[in-house]
Amino acid sequence: MRKNKLFFIAIVASLGIAVSAQSLSSKLETALKSKNVKAVRELLVSAPSGEKTKFEKKVLETAKQSVRSGDLDYAKNLAEVILISNQDHVEAQDLYSSIVEMQKNKRKIDEQKKQIQAEAEAKAKAEAEEKARITAEEQREKDKEALYKSVHEVDLKNFYLEASLGTSFSIFGSSFANKAFGRKKTNSDMGVLVGFNAGFVHPYILLKLGLNVNWLTVAMSGKDLSVFVASRFAIGTAAAGGVPIFLSTGHTYINYYGKGGGEQQSMLYTRISSPFVGISVEDWHPIEKLGLTFKFNWIPISVTSPFMSFGMHTNIGITYEFWKNRIMSLRAGGDMDIYAFTAKKYADWNIIPNIYVNTIFHVPK
């Protein structure tokens, strides 16, 4: 009976050891799959002596598979784990040494690849810089040649013709006439705008010769009509900052007349004929296709008339280029002319808004 009991205890103990070994083996499989080196080391160190060799073999096989798949760091760690557990494991020693050598060779190859890549990038950069330098030098030569031609070669490409046609509206009045006739009145009429200009364009000099007519033939408020005629010559330059600045001189003719040939009673001066001098910024393009103009002209009527104190004309305008080809361009424009003539504390004044289409003809460059 006692023998049977001892036999039973031995069988149970053996089964317990087998189950424990199977559990440790399963944990080792899990640790190897998850690449948990710390868990592999603990399992290998604490493995029963009967299972230790089996566990070492399993870890070594996994390390070799990692070498074949290119995961040298993991393979090296597993070989190192075996040596920690069993420093006399010859196969693990050989594997560890070969992995170290492989890593050393791999680093050397990677460094060579990096050096070759860096040399290739440096060469490509140098070639690109040389190409950019040559391109820039060629462009500078082209710019020099273009500038030389634009300065020293003058032909029809430097000239242009310009025509404008549109509608004018006029609002005008005279504090002197209102005082004389005991009234407070502002008059208005409308008509046409016609303008012609010829120009010369050069990098250092700009010339303009023009004629502008506002013929206001339809009375809207009041009975008086008017006509404004201005001939003009201007010289300027755009060399300073690209802003076209002009000095100009010309002649202004203004005539106010009654509707149907009657006597005009709206203004102090019914007719003004006088030269003028002025300064202006014309057709300045802060934005492509958009042109701005600012003019101021002094009309020295006060020099010839003892009753006139001051005379002036201002023009503010804007144009937009909406179509062009090689020989012409079309622009829509709007501007406002302001005339003022003072006599002591009284003044004759006229405000003329204009809307027009502008056409420019030129020889293609």
Side-chain angles (χ1 to χ4, degrees):
M1 186 71 176
R2 182 177 177 80
K3 289 181 178 179
N4 291 338
K5 186 180 290 187
L6 291 172
F7 180 72
F8 177 76
I9 292 172
I11 291 175
V12 171
S14 298
L15 287 173
I17 292 170
V19 170
S20 176
Q22 186 175 4
S23 175
L24 290 173
S25 179
S26 176
K27 288 181 179 180
L28 181 62
E29 287 279 354
T30 302
L32 289 171
K33 286 181 180 180
S34 62
K35 297 184 178 182
N36 188 341
V37 178
K38 181 179 178 182
V40 172
R41 184 175 64 249
E42 290 175 352
L43 288 167
L44 202 59
V45 170
S46 62
S49 57
E51 299 292 325
K52 197 174 188 67
T53 301
K54 179 180 174 182
F55 281 13
E56 288 176 350
K57 184 178 181 181
K58 179 64 178 175
V59 173
L60 190 63
E61 288 177 357
T62 305
K64 291 179 180 179
Q65 290 175 359
S66 298
V67 170
R68 288 191 290 270
S69 64
D71 193 352
L72 297 180
D73 289 335
Y74 184 47
K76 180 182 176 183
N77 289 335
L78 292 180
E80 192 174 17
V81 164
I82 296 173
L83 292 174
I84 290 173
S85 174
N86 181 8
Q87 61 181 0
D88 297 325
H89 198 293
V90 176
E91 196 171 357
Q93 290 175 353
D94 293 341
L95 181 63
Y96 185 86
S97 299
S98 63
I99 291 173
V100 170
E101 188 65 25
M102 289 171 66
Q103 286 182 325
K104 186 187 297 183
N105 293 335
K106 184 175 182 299
R107 283 194 296 271
K108 186 176 180 181
I109 292 171
D110 289 343
E111 288 175 0
Q112 290 175 347
K113 285 182 179 180
K114 287 180 180 179
Q115 184 177 358
I116 293 171
Q117 183 178 0
E119 290 174 354
E121 290 176 352
K123 182 179 178 181
K125 183 180 179 182
E127 290 176 351
E129 290 176 350
E130 179 64 15
K131 184 178 179 181
R133 186 191 67 77
I134 293 173
T135 302
E137 185 64 28
E138 290 175 349
Q139 187 61 46
R140 279 194 294 270
E141 291 299 322
K142 289 180 181 178
D143 292 342
K144 286 180 182 178
E145 184 179 356
L147 180 60
Y148 179 86
K149 287 183 177 180
S150 66
V151 172
H152 296 279
E153 296 181 10
V154 175
D155 53 27
L156 289 176
K157 294 190 290 291
N158 294 90
F159 295 87
Y160 68 89
L161 295 175
E162 181 179 348
S164 300
L165 179 65
T167 302
S168 291
F169 302 89
S170 177
I171 304 170
F172 59 101
S174 170
S175 56
F176 183 90
N178 288 343
K179 181 70 175 177
F181 292 101
R183 67 190 180 195
K184 188 175 183 181
K185 186 175 182 180
T186 299
N187 305 274
S188 61
D189 46 26
M190 65 179 294
V192 296
L193 163 70
V194 180
F196 300 97
N197 286 285
F200 172 79
V201 179
H202 186 272
Y204 298 115
I205 186 169
L206 305 171
L207 301 176
K208 278 189 177 184
L209 184 65
L211 177 69
N212 199 79
V213 179
N214 295 87
W215 193 7
L216 301 149
T217 59
V218 179
M220 299 174 65
S221 174
K223 299 180 179 180
D224 294 332
L225 307 174
S226 58
V227 60
F228 292 76
V229 181
S231 57
R232 178 173 179 264
F233 171 75
I235 180 171
T237 182
V243 180
I245 300 174
F246 289 83
L247 296 176
S248 61
T249 185
H251 188 273
T252 295
Y253 173 80
I254 303 172
N255 185 19
Y256 295 95
Y257 58 95
K259 186 177 181 181
E263 184 178 354
Q264 183 275 139
Q265 297 181 351
S266 299
M267 310 295 278
L268 171 62
Y269 283 84
T270 60
R271 185 175 298 172
I272 295 174
S273 180
S274 173
F276 67 83
V277 292
I279 186 171
S280 60
V281 173
E282 299 182 36
D283 206 24
W284 173 43
H285 291 269
I287 301 174
E288 187 179 3
K289 296 186 177 184
L290 190 70
L292 301 178
T293 295
F294 308 91
K295 297 178 185 175
F296 177 82
N297 298 320
W298 173 51
I299 303 175
I301 191 70
S302 58
V303 176
T304 58
S305 172
F307 302 105
M308 190 69 73
S309 303
F310 179 72
M312 56 79 69
H313 164 239
T314 297
N315 176 273
I316 302 172
I318 184 171
T319 60
Y320 178 77
E321 182 184 74
F322 61 89
W323 181 86
K324 73 174 181 178
N325 62 14
R326 293 178 67 250
I327 62 173
M328 67 179 294
S329 63
L330 295 177
R331 303 188 296 184
D335 63 18
M336 180 179 293
D337 291 292
I338 302 174
Y339 290 87
F341 301 94
T342 62
K344 296 185 179 180
K345 63 179 180 178
Y346 300 103
D348 287 1
W349 56 271
N350 200 306
I351 300 174
I352 308 175
N354 304 291
I355 301 173
Y356 57 87
V357 175
N358 174 264
T359 305
I360 299 178
F361 301 91
H362 54 85
V363 177
K365 296 182 179 180

